[in-house]
Amino acid sequence: MSISRRKFIGWFGAASGALLVSGKARASGKEFKGFPKSNGVLHDTALCVGCRTCESACNKENKLGKPDKPFTDLTVLKEKRRTTNDAYTVVNKFETKKGVLFAKKQCNHCLEPACASVCFVKAFKKDKTGAVTYDADVCVGCRYCMVACPFDVPTYEYDDPFTPEVKKCTLCKPRIDAGKLPACVEGCPKDALIFGERKKLLKIARKRIEKHPERYEDHIYGEKEMGGTSWLYLSPAKFEEIDMREDLGSKSTPELTHGALAVVPMVVGLWPAFLTGMYAMTKRRQKIALDEKNEAVKVATETTKATADEALKEALKKAESAKEKAIDSAVKKALEEAKKSEDTEEEE
Amino acid sequence: MSDSTTQNRLLTPFNVVAGAIVIIGLILTFIRFTKGIGSVTNLNNNYPWGIWIGFDLMCGVALAAGGYVTSSAVYLFGMRKFHAAVRPAILTGFLGYLFVIIALFYDLGRPYRLPYPFAVSPGPTSMLFEVGLCVALYFHVLLLEFFPAVLEWLGLAKFRNMIHKLTIGLTIFGVVLSTLHQSSLGALFLIAPSKLHPLWYSQYIAVYFFVSSIAAGLSMVIFEGFLSHRYMHDKMDDVHLEETKEIPYSFGKAASLVLFAYFSIKIIGLIADNNWHYLTTPYGYWFLVEMLGFVALPGMLYAVGSRERNYTLIKIASVLAILGIVLNRLNVSVICFNWKLPLAQKYIPSLNEVGISVFMITCIILTYRFIANRMPVLYEHPDYKDSEH
C-alpha cells in the first residue's frame, strides 16, 4: 500500500482538527457557572410546615399514579421517603437540634449534572431555563444516571417490560416555557419555595442569613455542592440533620472523570507503538537466536570436519611412514641377503 | 442415535443438571421479557445495578481477560512455547464477551436500543460509552482471532490463511482495547465518590481494574487448563499436552508478580487517601479479607507453587485469585456501594436473578464444550501444523 505524502498530511490535518474541536469545551480552564439568567428555586426549610401541598400539586401536574395514602394524610412524614416513579418530590420530617424541620426533596437540577455527564446517549441535557431534561426517545435503560446521581433522585420503571423510562422532576419546564411557575412552587401556601433567576435567589438567601443569623446556618446548600445546583436551600439546622449530605464537595461531576477520559486517547496513541516495538524486539531476538544457532551449527560442523581431516592426515602420514619403513627394511633385507649369498658363493 | 450407548453418554449427571438449569433459565428469560426487569430482580431505585452488572458484566469481562493476556504473551512478548494455550484462551475470551453482551440484554431496560450510543445519539463524555465502544470492538477482534479455527473446521484454507495474516495486528488492537475497557469498568465508579466506600473508591481505580484483570486472565488460563485436562483430555494432541505442561508454573509465576504489584498499588492508594482509620471498621475487616485472603495469599501460593513445581498449590492459588476478582468486582459494584444506606435497605439478589447468572455460566460451558469437541482448539489441525502462529 502506498500513501502519498500529501494524503498523509491531509489525514493528519483532519485528525488534529477533530482533536482540537473536541477539546475545545474544556480548554483554557474555563469554569461553567450556569447559563445566564437560568432559573432555580429557593427552598427555605425554616418556613416549610410539611403540608404536602407541593407533593399533591406535582402529582396532579405530572399525572402521576395515585398515592397509597392521600396527600392530606400527614402520618407518612414519620418515615423517611425517597422519590419514586409516582412521586417526583417528597417532603420529609426531621427532629433536629433546632426543633422539628421539614425538607422537600426532588431533582436539584445541577448546573453540571452527573446524569447528563454519564449518559452514553445524551438523554439528559441541562436546558437554559435551568431544567435538566430527559429524553425517553433515546434512553437505552442502562440506569448509569441513577448510579451517578449524588442526590439519589432518578427512579426507574422496572415493571415495564417494553418501554421503561427514567422518572424525575422536570422543574415543570413546560410550565416555565408557558410563563408559569413550577406546580410545587405555585402550590406552596407558606412561601417556603421561591422560583426565580438563580443569581437573584442567591442574593435573597444571603440577605436572609445576614438578617437572621440566629435563625439560619451560614450555608446556602446548592450554591457550591457538586459544582452548584439550580435548587438552593436554607436551613436552621445543619444540613446533615435534614438528610442532605455535606461531604459531597464542590467539584462538578465531569471533573471526576475528566482525568480518566483524558488518558484514553493517550493509550490509543502510544500502546500500538509500544506493543509493535515489543513485537519487533521479540522477533529480532528470535532471529538473532536462530542466526546464532545456525552459526553454532556451522562452526561445530567445521570444527568436527577439521579435526577429522587432521586425524585422517595424521593417519595417512603414519601409514605412509610405516610403508616407507617397510620398504626400507625390505630393501635392506634383500641387499643383505644378496650380499650373504654372494659371500657364500665366493667361499665355495 | 437411538442405541443405548449414545443415550447413556448423553444422560451424564452433568448433562442432566445442565439441562435443568437451561430449562429454568429459559422460563426466567420468558418472564423477564414479558413482565419486565422488576418481575425477576430485587433491583430498586437505590440499587439500579445488581449482580447482572456486578457479576455477569464486571466479573465476566475481567475473567475473559485470558484471551488478550495469552495472545500478547505468545505473539508479542515472545513466549512461543505456549502457543497451544492461545486458542483455548481466545475461545473462552470470546464466549465470555458473547455472554456479557447477552446478559446485558437482560439488564438493559430497552435492549433493542443497544446500538443507540454508536448510531443514534453518542454521549462520549460517559465512561460507559467508552466501555461500550471498546467491548463492541473487542468482541469482533476476538471473533476474528477465533475465526481461523472455524475455517479450518470448515476446510476453507484460502480464507483461513487470509485472516491468519492479521494475527499480530489483531493482537495489538486487542491489547489496546482491553487496556481501555478493563480499566474503564473501574472508572465507571469515579463518578460516585459519595456512594462507594472510600476503601474501594480511589483515583487509581481504573489502574486497579486493569492490573487485576491481568491476574484474572492468567488465573483463568491455569484453571481452565486444569478443567480441560481433566474432562477433555482425549481431544488434546501431543503438541498441546507437551506445551501446556509448563503453563501452570510459568503463568503462576507471572500471576504471583502481578498480584504482588496489585497488592502494593492498593496499599499506595490507601496511603494516598489516608484511609487507614477505616481499616478498624466492619468494612475495613472486609477489605482486609479481600486483600489478604484473595490477593496476598494466592500471590504467595503462586510464588511457592511455581518454585517448588507444586501443581496442587498452583490450582488452589488460581481458584483463590479468581474468587478474589469476583469478590472485588462485587464489592465495588454491589456490596460496598451505597455503604451509607441502612442495612435493611441494602440489595440482596433474588433467587431468579441468581438463576439467570447461573444460566449464563452454564451456557458458556456448554458452548465451549460444543466447540472444543468439534473445532481444532485443543489440537492442531493436521493441514496447518507447520504454520507460523
Side-chain angles (χ1 to χ4, degrees):
Chain A
M1 192 171 72
S2 72
I3 304 163
S4 72
R5 203 168 77 106
R6 181 171 298 180
K7 223 182 197 172
F8 179 75
I9 292 173
W11 288 349
F12 191 72
S16 45
L19 265 180
L20 278 178
V21 170
S22 62
K24 214 161 102 188
R26 54 166 187 256
S28 74
K30 272 179 196 154
E31 200 183 329
F32 181 67
K33 292 195 172 149
F35 290 110
K37 304 230 161 150
S38 92
N39 301 300
V41 177
L42 174 63
H43 177 32
D44 189 338
T45 61
L47 302 175
C48 183
V49 293
C51 64
R52 299 184 72 206
T53 317
C54 53
E55 284 186 39
S56 140
C58 176
N59 182 283
K60 205 172 137 202
E61 173 64 30
N62 292 297
K63 301 181 180 68
L64 303 178
K66 223 179 134 204
D68 297 338
K69 288 179 184 170
F71 288 108
T72 46
D73 184 350
L74 298 183
T75 54
V76 296
L77 293 172
K78 273 186 204 150
E79 52 188 305
K80 212 190 107 190
R81 296 176 300 153
R82 62 155 291 156
T83 52
T84 66
N85 289 336
D86 291 322
Y88 296 172
T89 185
V90 288
V91 176
N92 281 319
K93 183 182 177 184
F94 302 95
E95 309 278 351
T96 73
K97 283 176 194 147
K98 299 282 171 88
V100 173
L101 286 175
F102 300 94
K104 180 180 177 299
K105 186 181 169 83
Q106 73 299 306
C107 174
N108 282 325
H109 299 274
C110 303
L111 299 186
E112 294 184 73
C115 53
S117 161
V118 302
C119 183
F120 68 168
V121 286
K122 283 200 276 192
F124 290 95
K125 286 200 179 86
K126 180 72 176 173
D127 187 73
K128 57 182 190 295
T129 55
V132 174
T133 59
Y134 166 70
D135 181 3
D137 288 342
V138 293
C139 180
V140 182
C142 72
R143 310 186 294 280
Y144 193 14
C145 49
M146 298 166 67
V147 169
C149 177
F151 304 109
D152 295 319
V153 166
T155 61
Y156 200 64
E157 295 179 315
Y158 289 105
D159 294 323
D160 185 336
F162 304 115
T163 56
E165 291 180 12
V166 172
K167 294 284 173 187
K168 75 168 195 71
C169 154
T170 62
L171 198 67
C172 285
K173 184 175 176 291
R175 289 178 61 101
I176 295 173
D177 287 341
K180 288 192 274 187
L181 289 174
C184 57
V185 176
E186 195 180 72
C188 183
K190 288 287 176 185
D191 284 338
L193 301 172
I194 312 171
F195 176 84
E197 202 183 313
R198 185 176 181 268
K199 267 186 199 153
K200 287 181 186 156
L201 294 178
L202 275 172
K203 276 183 197 154
I204 294 171
R206 241 173 250 127
K207 256 187 213 155
R208 286 191 187 175
I209 294 173
E210 273 166 33
K211 214 169 160 190
H212 300 286
E214 78 292 345
R215 192 191 289 170
Y216 295 106
E217 275 289 308
D218 187 13
H219 179 181
I220 305 168
Y221 196 98
E223 184 182 11
K224 300 222 168 93
E225 273 73 15
M226 296 307 283
T229 61
S230 288
W231 274 68
L232 302 165
Y233 300 80
L234 286 174
S235 167
K238 285 229 177 291
F239 281 99
E240 256 168 18
E241 285 191 81
I242 57 170
D243 201 33
M244 296 174 75
R245 293 183 66 164
E246 293 189 67
D247 60 349
L248 295 178
S250 55
K251 244 190 212 173
S252 73
T253 42
E255 279 178 71
L256 294 168
T257 41
H258 156 254
L261 280 169
V263 175
V264 172
M266 290 295 109
V267 172
V268 176
L270 295 177
W271 233 209
F274 170 72
L275 295 167
T276 312
M278 286 305 298
Y279 171 64
M281 278 183 341
T282 302
K283 222 179 159 188
R284 198 178 108 84
R285 231 178 12 235
Q286 278 162 354
K287 191 175 169 290
I288 290 174
L290 194 69
D291 285 352
E292 276 174 355
K293 195 176 133 202
N294 289 340
E295 183 68 17
V297 169
K298 210 172 126 199
V299 169
T301 334
E302 271 168 13
T303 329
T304 325
K305 209 176 149 219
T307 336
D309 281 355
E310 198 77 8
L312 190 65
K313 237 187 225 163
E314 198 76 9
L316 278 175
K317 223 174 170 181
K318 251 187 206 158
E320 195 87 351
S321 67
K323 213 169 153 191
E324 267 169 29
K325 249 186 207 158
I327 292 173
D328 272 358
S329 73
V331 170
K332 226 179 189 173
K333 223 176 172 179
L335 280 176
E336 266 168 25
E337 253 163 49
K339 211 175 166 192
K340 237 185 207 168
S341 66
E342 229 167 67
D343 287 349
T344 41
E345 258 172 44
E346 268 168 32
E347 274 168 28
E348 279 172 25
Chain B
M1 288 304 260
S2 59
D3 64 307
S4 60
T5 45
T6 321
Q7 246 176 18
N8 283 343
R9 247 190 292 150
L10 279 174
L11 275 176
T12 60
F14 173 82
N15 284 358
V16 172
V17 174
I21 293 173
V22 168
I23 291 168
I24 295 171
L26 289 175
I27 295 171
L28 291 174
T29 303
F30 180 75
I31 302 174
R32 149 68 187 95
F33 287 104
T34 48
K35 305 250 182 228
I37 300 170
S39 63
V40 281
T41 71
N42 276 352
L43 294 176
N44 57 47
N45 289 326
N46 288 329
Y47 276 98
W49 288 355
I51 57 162
W52 289 354
I53 295 293
F55 181 77
D56 296 18
L57 182 106
M58 294 280 170
C59 299
V61 168
L63 297 177
Y68 89 88
V69 170
T70 312
S71 59
S72 61
V74 170
Y75 295 136
L76 304 181
F77 296 96
M79 296 177 206
R80 290 172 73 160
K81 59 177 173 172
F82 299 139
H83 183 251
V86 173
R87 269 204 188 158
I90 293 282
L91 176 58
T92 338
F94 171 69
L95 293 179
Y97 279 87
L98 176 67
F99 281 93
V100 160
I101 295 168
I102 292 176
L104 211 51
F105 271 82
Y106 286 77
D107 189 75
L108 290 175
R110 302 197 196 201
Y112 49 90
R113 284 182 176 172
L114 200 58
Y116 272 35
F118 318 117
V120 177
S121 176
T125 58
S126 172
M127 224 62 232
L128 195 59
F129 178 80
E130 220 241 292
V131 172
L133 189 61
C134 288
V135 168
L137 287 172
Y138 188 50
F139 173 71
H140 291 95
V141 168
L142 281 167
L143 184 69
L144 281 176
E145 282 187 302
F146 187 66
F147 234 54
V150 182
L151 296 171
E152 283 170 19
W153 178 53
L154 296 173
L156 299 168
K158 224 170 165 186
F159 194 21
R160 179 260 179 210
N161 291 337
M162 219 167 75
I163 291 195
H164 199 79
K165 285 198 183 109
L166 300 173
T167 303
I168 298 298
L170 284 174
T171 306
I172 292 177
F173 194 37
V175 178
V176 172
L177 293 170
S178 294
T179 310
L180 289 176
H181 72 262
Q182 292 286 0
S183 57
S184 297
L185 276 180
L188 284 179
F189 293 92
L190 280 175
I191 202 83
S194 59
K195 293 187 181 175
L196 180 55
H197 191 283
L199 285 173
W200 283 271
Y201 184 92
S202 165
Q203 56 188 322
Y204 303 124
I205 193 167
V207 185
Y208 293 162
F209 267 58
F210 173 59
V211 174
S212 55
S213 83
I214 300 174
L218 293 167
S219 302
M220 276 302 277
V221 172
I222 295 172
F223 183 64
E224 273 169 51
F226 161 64
L227 288 186
S228 48
H229 271 272
R230 186 146 182 192
Y231 298 107
M232 305 197 81
H233 201 274
D234 56 318
K235 290 284 156 197
M236 297 173 175
D237 62 1
D238 293 340
V239 178
H240 188 96
L241 289 172
E242 189 56 38
E243 287 191 8
T244 48
K245 228 189 259 167
E246 263 306 301
I247 283 180
Y249 309 109
S250 281
F251 274 44
K253 200 193 277 179
S256 149
L257 263 175
V258 175
L259 283 173
F260 282 125
Y262 176 61
F263 188 82
S264 42
I265 56 172
K266 287 284 271 194
I267 301 296
I268 291 171
L270 198 64
I271 298 169
D273 292 332
N274 198 12
N275 277 336
W276 299 100
H277 60 286
Y278 287 112
L279 289 183
T280 51
T281 63
Y283 275 107
Y285 304 145
W286 186 233
F287 179 78
L288 289 175
V289 167
E290 183 193 322
M291 291 310 298
L292 298 177
F294 295 93
V295 180
L297 181 61
M300 199 65 127
L301 292 179
Y302 269 137
V304 175
S306 58
R307 198 186 58 183
E308 316 273 325
R309 298 186 69 80
N310 184 335
Y311 189 36
T312 314
L313 280 189
I314 300 265
K315 272 187 291 190
I316 297 172
S318 72
V319 172
L320 283 177
I322 290 166
L323 287 178
I325 293 293
V326 173
L327 190 60
N328 175 258
R329 300 309 194 254
L330 285 178
N331 277 342
V332 169
S333 55
V334 176
I335 298 171
C336 308
F337 192 76
N338 280 338
W339 66 291
K340 294 210 166 171
L341 215 63
L343 210 61
Q345 288 181 44
K346 290 205 70 122
Y347 151 90
I348 292 161
S350 72
L351 217 54
N352 290 340
E353 249 174 303
V354 178
I356 290 288
S357 291
V358 173
F359 174 49
M360 291 290 135
I361 298 172
T362 311
C363 288
I364 293 180
I365 297 172
L366 290 177
T367 323
Y368 184 95
R369 202 176 62 162
F370 178 85
I371 294 177
N373 271 331
R374 283 162 182 79
M375 297 180 199
V377 176
L378 300 171
Y379 61 92
E380 279 180 277
H381 195 287
D383 294 355
Y384 308 92
K385 260 198 185 323
D386 299 322
S387 70
E388 259 277 298
H389 302 301

